[in-house]
Amino acid sequence: MNASSATHPWPAPTPGGPVTGRVHVPGSKSQTNRALLLAALATGPAEVAVVGAPPTRDTALMVGALRALGVTVTEAGDQRLLVGRPDRALRGGTVDVGLAGTVMRFVPPAAALADGPVRFDGDPRARERPMGPVLEALRALGARIEGDALPFTVHGTGGLPGGEVVLDASGSSQFVSGLLLSGAMYDKGVAVRHVGPPLPSLPHIEMTVDMVRAAGVEVEDGEDDSWRVHPGPIAARDWTIEPDLSNAAVFLAAAAVTGGRVTVAGWPSESRQPGAAVLGILERFGCHVAVGPDGATLTGPDTLVGVDVDLHDVGELTPTIAAVAALATGQTRLRGVAHLRGHETDRLAALAAELTALGADAAETDDGLLIRPRPLSAPVGRPWRAYADHRMATAGAVLGLVVPGMAVDDIDSTGKTIPDFPARWTELISEKGA
């Protein structure tokens, strides 16, 4: 937690009426970090561009990781990153993963190709996040690794045999995506099979498959819970990043909870991003949604209704949806998100604790949350706790639109995926029309 934000909690603005406006959200960090890694592993032109990369902490951590491996990444302005590969194999080095799941799960499979040891470490909470399945999978594919969680060291030997591997990826879809992104560079490619409870966030794996194919790699995914990446070159190509639809959900929620109207500019007509599902979810609460050339526009109802919704494929939306649910009439049940206990924080425990502190009836279930709305009020002398989690922080901002006197203890954590969130939020609330 940033010391200044801990000492001086951010006062969440309460507009006292409908929020109406138009926003441009930063690029998708999920697409950006996949594109950066594929660009670093590609063969072909000396330099490729990633356009629309958001200036967030997660992006900076991936850039830092690639630079540690000998990849040249140059900032060319206008959210444009130029990626150049090293003249020889990736080199050994030290990688700071921070709290970025995409860095801690995507980079080790690439580090196995390095010419030397690569040491990984990160934030204290990152050391508690699950890593074992992907590290064990890499060992089965021929890698030598010291450690089963952060900090750990991948002893790269310039290549990896690859082959077939079975793992339980129920803790994070990133275990599978990490192997698929680098698998074409292994001697035998990689065939990954998931065995265990249902995979969370399957659309994120579908995004990975689409992007790997777009880089000219042959991928088979016709069988449930199985993927095969054939060995071969990864093509060098430029990447254009879509707006981050999971981050957009927070701004749409502002309209939902205040009976306002918000347009997110640049909403893609089709997208593999799981965050696209937020439109349908908010419609179930009673909102009206329209998507067109101008973007996606959400109009909030006079009264939100409770829902029963499975968020298994879109777990990252849970804090935002829980905030909306706490302001609805009737009970809401959020299901399918037990894996959130291993995210940036234990999001289920955190949401239950913080909503209860506001007066809501919120309880954990085996795989989610049960929220029965009650009148909410900000407790005196106690800010909404973000737990150093960007999505917990933005959930507090959503609630603050309706609950006067709220403050968020670590608003700086939003820099992980939304640069300058407080200014963006204040600007939206101060707008007078879309």
Side-chain angles (χ1 to χ4, degrees), residues 36-307:
L36 285 170
L37 187 59
L38 288 170
L41 296 174
T43 58
E47 200 169 57
V48 299
V50 178
V51 181
T56 62
R57 188 185 185 212
D58 275 20
T59 302
L61 288 165
M62 180 60 84
V63 168
L66 297 179
R67 286 173 174 164
L69 298 178
V71 178
T72 301
V73 184
T74 305
E75 298 179 17
D78 296 327
Q79 297 183 20
R80 180 183 179 92
L81 297 174
L82 301 178
V83 182
R85 279 138 334 269
D87 294 334
R88 56 181 182 81
L90 299 173
R91 70 187 183 204
T94 299
V95 171
D96 175 13
V97 308
L99 196 52
T102 53
V103 180
M104 64 191 293
R105 278 78 177 259
F106 292 179
V107 179
L113 302 166
D115 184 12
V118 183
R119 185 177 187 274
F120 290 81
D121 203 355
D123 293 358
R125 170 59 182 170
R127 295 183 174 191
E128 301 172 15
R129 299 186 69 181
M131 277 297 303
V134 72
L135 298 182
E136 281 302 310
L138 287 171
R139 290 186 179 104
L141 295 170
R144 183 165 74 89
I145 302 171
E146 292 181 54
D148 295 309
L150 289 167
F152 61 85
T153 299
V154 178
H155 291 273
T157 57
L160 199 66
E164 298 185 359
V165 68
V166 177
L167 77 164
D168 179 354
S170 59
S172 174
S173 66
Q174 292 171 347
F175 298 150
V176 173
S177 285
L179 295 169
L180 301 184
L181 287 165
S182 294
M185 305 304 293
Y186 301 162
D187 296 343
K188 302 175 185 176
V190 68
V192 181
R193 182 160 62 92
H194 161 70
V195 175
L199 271 169
S201 304
L202 187 59
H204 275 116
I205 298 178
E206 294 169 349
M207 177 195 297
T208 299
V209 169
D210 282 353
M211 294 182 71
V212 172
R213 281 179 175 150
V217 176
E218 183 180 354
V219 184
E220 298 177 31
D221 63 344
E223 183 179 346
D224 288 347
D225 293 340
S226 294
W227 303 265
R228 180 181 293 274
V229 176
H230 290 253
I234 296 173
R237 51 153 292 174
D238 293 343
W239 299 91
T240 300
I241 307 302
E242 297 175 356
D244 193 311
L245 305 187
S246 294
N247 287 338
V250 177
F251 298 97
L252 295 173
V257 302
T258 63
R261 186 180 74 256
V262 169
T263 297
V264 175
W267 194 280
S269 58
E270 296 182 6
S271 179
R272 281 290 197 182
Q273 289 187 61
V278 71
L279 298 180
I281 295 170
L282 291 176
E283 280 187 315
R284 293 178 60 179
F285 278 97
C287 300
H288 178 266
V289 171
V291 180
D294 192 46
T297 299
L298 183 137
T299 304
D302 293 335
T303 303
L304 294 161
V305 298
V307 301

Side-chain angles (χ1 to χ4, degrees), residues 2 11 23 64 105 117 190 254 346:
N2 181 286
V23 296
R105 278 78 177 259
V190 68
D346 180 340

